[in-house]
Amino acid sequence: MKSLFSRALITGAATSSVLLLGAGIAAAHVTVVAPGAAQGGYSVLTFRVPTESDAASTTALRVELPDLKSARTEPIPGWTAVIERDDTTQAATAVTWTADPGVGVQPGQFQQFVLSAGPLPATEDVAFPAIQTYSDGEVVAWDEAVGADGSEPSKPAPTLTLAPSSG
């Protein structure tokens, strides 16, 4: 009897964990990851973009860059990437990925947009404000900073924590 009760308790706990994990995934935002990225170094930045709309696809993503000397996109079939540069310094200031007609990130799906870039700024954290455009015309700006009290905003800018420079 005790064994049956223990199994039921474990099964209930496991089910609750899966449901909570699923809720966290459903509330995803545009994020950036770059394992091993360091201040002053070059890295591969991966922007993960979920489509949070139930009725429209993601058709464009624009990401602001912190005046990078080098920025190169990885090709994505059905998407065009354009890197914006400062007229004077030629530093990369933004990149925009745009879906071809009939292409997009469908509801309930996500896409990874990859950028090789650097040198990264000599700061502990770097934000990459982003603008996500949907097929129905909705535009979502992921550009809010974390609150002074550490609270997460509703539309946080993708932010990357950089390791100290290795010299």
Side-chain angles (χ1 to χ4, degrees):
M1 187 82 168
K2 250 185 180 176
S3 178
L4 183 60
F5 179 74
S6 295
R7 281 188 220 156
L9 188 60
I10 290 170
T11 302
T15 302
S16 296
S17 296
V18 168
L19 289 173
L20 287 173
L21 252 161
I25 292 168
H29 303 308
V30 173
T31 59
V32 61
V33 294
Q39 298 172 19
Y42 289 76
S43 189
V44 174
L45 310 173
T46 302
F47 295 92
R48 294 182 179 153
V49 181
T51 293
E52 296 182 351
S53 171
D54 293 330
S57 301
T58 297
T59 57
L61 175 70
R62 182 179 189 279
V63 177
E64 292 180 25
L65 303 174
D67 293 336
L68 301 173
K69 181 178 179 181
S70 176
R72 293 185 173 98
T73 60
E74 180 176 74
I76 302 172
W79 291 78
T80 302
V82 175
I83 295 174
E84 297 173 34
R85 297 192 176 276
D86 180 272
D87 291 336
T88 305
T89 65
Q90 291 303 301
T93 58
V95 60
T96 301
W97 288 271
T98 306
D100 293 343
V103 176
V105 185
Q106 302 299 312
Q109 297 180 341
F110 77 99
Q111 176 68 50
Q112 297 187 111
F113 298 88
V114 180
L115 181 71
S116 175
L120 296 170
T123 59
E124 186 175 329
D125 296 308
V126 60
F128 296 91
I131 297 174
Q132 183 177 15
T133 303
Y134 287 94
S135 58
D136 64 1
E138 180 184 2
V139 175
V140 179
W142 299 98
D143 60 357
E144 297 173 355
V146 173
D149 62 354
S151 61
E152 184 175 332
S154 61
K155 304 271 191 279
T159 302
L160 185 63
T161 299
L162 301 175
S165 173
S166 60

